[in-house]
């Protein structure tokens, strides 16, 4: 009987496997990963593929009217012309060495370069949220928030209460949250905010209870824009755990930025696109000086806001990482909670280390997602052999997403160094072209080193066989983790 069932499943599985091969023919690693799923879960695996393997790059998610699209293209073309003619005078002379990366982000990601920015760096949740609450209290016109995870706890309640007070004062409040990342929220969580006149919307919400066919595509961005003048971007979500109050993780180490200047306007535009995709109450797609004020900041920091998502064919943020790694002459410092590089990134890091660049990778010393953690470790051996140094953060949980090259240019944002962030999630990073800010971030990394232990090649080779087996298995699934 069992033999007959197995034979039938095998016969059905063959055309399903052929279908997967045809649909994923442009991505060999993903094809093999899905074939492995089909092998272990005959027929059922194809149902999983239909839910998790949808290709959004062919869908027109963001509807931008013709007039606005034309205006954006004119801005992009104008700045590209300035780059081609070397007309831009950089506040930091070192930034000129990264002109090609700025041009790439501008051409493929519509990321305008601005250099009138001021940046504050937060590495602890209490500092970040106290600054955010002060800015919320002083808001005069609007507060736009986008978070992947919002928890139903003291911090979540405090934030919604503060927003409700501002909404009652006439400030326009719009709160966007990811339906998967914030799946634990009760339906009434935003009722107080809505009664006060504010709005809240879920990104890619489930239309069927307990079933979300877009579960694989998550809006992992964390943005706050206050009055179009102040912007927050980085790794902190909303919840007590991000204040270090979770018993499982203890101290929470993350990196977040507060930006004032031209970079905020790009963050505002990105929020508007995501909001209009998620909410029936659209933000009007026209130039509004209230949403896009003329910012006369005294800042001098160069910034590009680079976004990526599954609706794009180009992996913008991954390309930033590749350019930073290839451009580095002395040092590359990377912090990430999850490390699942594709072949291009893995090769770039090995080339840099073999070329004598001091490449340092910092990962959490304790996992929050074990399968991802095992897969991460499977990549470390060849990098350690190439000369890269790896450090495991031990004070608590490391959630920071940062890369600094040569102490001259840096990227901080929401994207992890993994295939999910580069290809499947909606992400956003701030690329910073300023020696002073990059050196501050490099200093943060060096301070964190005091709370780490180094993972040596010798220790890595002595891993237990069971651990190696787990790593090998999870690596096969790494393109879809």
């Amino acid at each position: 009987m069992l033999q007959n069932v197995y034979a039938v499943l095998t016969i059905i599985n063959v055309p399903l496997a052929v279908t997967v091969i045809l649909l994923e023919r442009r991505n060999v690693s993903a094809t093999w990963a899905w074939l492995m799923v089909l092998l272990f879960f005959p027929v059922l695996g194809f149902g999983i593929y239909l839910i998790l393997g949808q290709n959004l790059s062919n869908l027109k998610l963001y509807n931008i009217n013709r007039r606005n699209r034309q205006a954006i293209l004119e801005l992009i073309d104008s700045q590209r012309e300035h780059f081609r003619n070397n007309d831009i005078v950089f506040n930091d002379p070192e930034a000129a060495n990264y002109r090609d990366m700025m041009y790439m982000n501008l051409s493929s990601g519509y990321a305008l370069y601005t250099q009138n920015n001021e940046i504050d760096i937060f590495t602890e949740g209490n500092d970040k949220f106290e600054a955010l609450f002060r800015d919320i209290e002083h808001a005069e016109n609007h507060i736009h928030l986008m978070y992947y995870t919002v928890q139903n706890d003291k911090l979540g309640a405090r934030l919604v209460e503060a927003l409700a007070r501002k909404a009652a004062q006439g400030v326009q409040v719009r709160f966007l949250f990811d339906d998967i990342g914030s799946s634990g929220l009760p339906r009434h969580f935003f009722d107080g905010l809505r009664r006060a006149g504010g709005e809240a919307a879920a990104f890619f919400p489930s239309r069927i209870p307990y079933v979300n066919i877009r579960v694989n595509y998550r809006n992992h961005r964390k943005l706050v824009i206050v009055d179009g003048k102040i912007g927050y971007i980085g790794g902190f979500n909303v919840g007590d755990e991000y204040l270090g109050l979770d018993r499982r993780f203890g101290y929470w180490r993350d990196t977040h930025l507060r930006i004032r200047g031209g970079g905020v306007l790009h963050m505002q535009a990105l929020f508007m696109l995501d909001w209009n995709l998620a909410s029936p109450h659209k933000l009007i797609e026209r130039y509004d000086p209230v949403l896009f004020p003329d910012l006369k900041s005294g800042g001098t920091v160069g910034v590009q806001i680079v976004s990526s998502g599954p609706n794009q064919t180009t992996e913008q943020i991954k390309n930033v990482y590749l350019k930073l790694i290839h451009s580095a002459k002395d040092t590359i410092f990377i912090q990430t909670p999850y490390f699942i590089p594709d072949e291009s990134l893995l090769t770039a890091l090995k080339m840099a280390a073999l070329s004598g660049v001091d490449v340092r990778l910092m990962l959490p010393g304790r996992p929050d997602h074990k399968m991802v953690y095992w897969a991460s470790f499977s990549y470390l051996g060849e990098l350690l052999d190439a000369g890269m140094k790896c450090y495991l953060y031990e004070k608590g949980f490391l959630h920071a997403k940062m890369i600094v090259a040569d102490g001259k240019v840096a990227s901080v944002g929401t994207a992890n160094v993994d295939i999910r962030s580069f290809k499947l999630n909606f992400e956003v990073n701030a690329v910073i072209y300023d020696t002073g800010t990059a050196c501050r971030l490099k200093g943060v990394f060096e301070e964190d080193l005091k709370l780490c232990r180094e993972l040596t090649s010798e220790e890595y080779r002595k891993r237990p066989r069971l651990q190696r087996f787990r790593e090998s298995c999870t690596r096969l699934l790494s393109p879809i983790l």
Side-chain angles (χ1 to χ4, degrees), residues 161-216:
E161 288 170 5
L163 295 171
R165 286 196 298 271
K166 297 305 293 186
Q169 296 170 13
V171 173
Q172 295 179 331
V173 178
R174 299 177 179 91
F175 202 131
L176 181 60
F177 60 97
D178 185 79
D179 190 62
I180 299 300
S182 303
S183 58
L185 285 183
R187 290 186 177 183
H188 60 77
F189 184 77
F190 291 103
D191 284 357
L193 173 61
R194 292 188 174 109
R195 284 194 298 268
E199 298 178 72
F203 192 88
F204 281 179
S206 173
R207 304 300 181 189
I208 305 171
Y210 309 110
V211 177
N212 192 326
I213 62 172
R214 289 183 168 177
V215 65
N216 208 31

Side-chain angles (χ1 to χ4, degrees), residues 220 321 336-338 399-401 414-418 421-422 425 427:
H220 197 241
Y321 274 60
T336 180
Y338 317 118
H399 193 248
K401 304 106 170 30
T414 69
N416 302 304
V417 183
D418 63 8
S421 285
F422 293 146
N425 287 346
E427 305 279 6

Side-chain angles (χ1 to χ4, degrees), residues 119-123 255-258 437 440-441 444:
I119 293 182
D120 299 316
I121 302 170
F122 300 104
T123 59
T255 301
H256 220 90
L257 306 178
R258 178 178 182 266
T437 307
R440 286 160 61 198
L441 290 167
V444 168

Side-chain angles (χ1 to χ4, degrees), residues 264-481:
V264 178
L265 303 182
H266 194 149
M267 295 162 67
Q268 180 82 290
L270 186 60
F271 174 87
M272 290 177 66
L273 289 173
D274 283 349
W275 177 263
N276 286 347
L277 181 60
S279 173
H281 305 116
K282 311 295 183 187
L283 278 162
I284 298 175
E285 290 185 5
R286 67 164 183 256
Y287 172 73
D288 185 339
V290 174
L291 294 176
F292 297 94
D294 183 15
L295 299 176
K296 297 179 181 179
S297 169
T300 60
V301 177
V303 169
Q304 280 182 305
I305 303 299
V306 180
S307 61
S308 64
N311 60 308
Q312 301 175 357
T313 55
T314 303
E315 297 171 32
Q316 308 286 356
I317 294 177
K318 186 185 81 171
N319 287 347
V320 169
Y321 274 60
L322 289 172
K323 288 289 285 185
L324 287 173
I325 294 166
H326 286 305
S327 69
K329 304 298 181 185
D330 299 311
T331 59
I332 300 167
F333 290 176
I334 301 173
Q335 288 179 315
T336 180
Y338 317 118
F339 182 71
I340 303 181
D342 67 2
E343 195 62 36
S344 63
L345 199 60
L346 194 63
T347 300
L349 288 169
K350 287 193 289 188
M351 287 176 61
L354 290 169
S355 300
V357 177
D358 182 5
V359 181
R360 302 189 184 191
L361 172 67
M362 190 179 296
L363 299 173
R366 66 182 74 170
D368 64 336
H369 300 295
K370 288 187 177 180
M371 287 186 67
V372 179
Y373 197 71
W374 296 336
S376 295
F377 262 67
S378 72
Y379 292 94
L380 298 181
E382 53 195 299
L383 289 169
L384 290 170
D385 289 341
M388 185 195 79
K389 297 177 181 178
C390 180
Y391 300 89
L392 303 179
Y393 186 82
E394 296 197 310
K395 182 178 179 180
F397 185 69
L398 177 72
H399 193 248
K401 304 106 170 30
M402 180 184 78
I403 178 171
V404 184
D406 291 339
K408 298 176 182 178
V409 62
S411 174
V412 173
T414 69
N416 302 304
V417 183
D418 63 8
I419 296 169
R420 166 162 293 283
S421 285
F422 293 146
K423 193 173 183 65
L424 299 176
N425 287 346
F426 294 84
E427 305 279 6
V428 60
N429 278 27
V431 184
I432 305 159
Y433 307 90
D434 178 70
T435 302
T437 307
C439 283
R440 286 160 61 198
L441 290 167
K442 183 180 178 183
V444 168
F445 186 99
E446 291 169 339
E447 282 297 309
D448 287 336
L449 284 177
K450 300 174 183 177
L451 303 169
C452 295
R453 69 176 179 86
E454 184 175 356
L455 177 67
T456 64
S457 296
E458 182 180 2
E459 179 186 348
Y460 186 82
R461 286 193 295 270
K462 292 181 179 179
R463 297 178 341 279
R465 289 183 179 179
L466 177 60
Q467 183 175 339
R468 297 185 187 192
F469 176 75
R470 289 188 305 225
E471 292 170 5
S472 298
C473 291
T474 51
R475 180 163 178 161
L476 291 173
L477 297 174
S478 60
I480 57 176
L481 284 178

Side-chain angles (χ1 to χ4, degrees), residues 224-238:
V224 179
I225 301 96
V226 180
D227 291 337
K229 300 175 182 178
I230 299 170
Y232 285 81
I233 182 173
F236 282 110
N237 287 294
V238 178

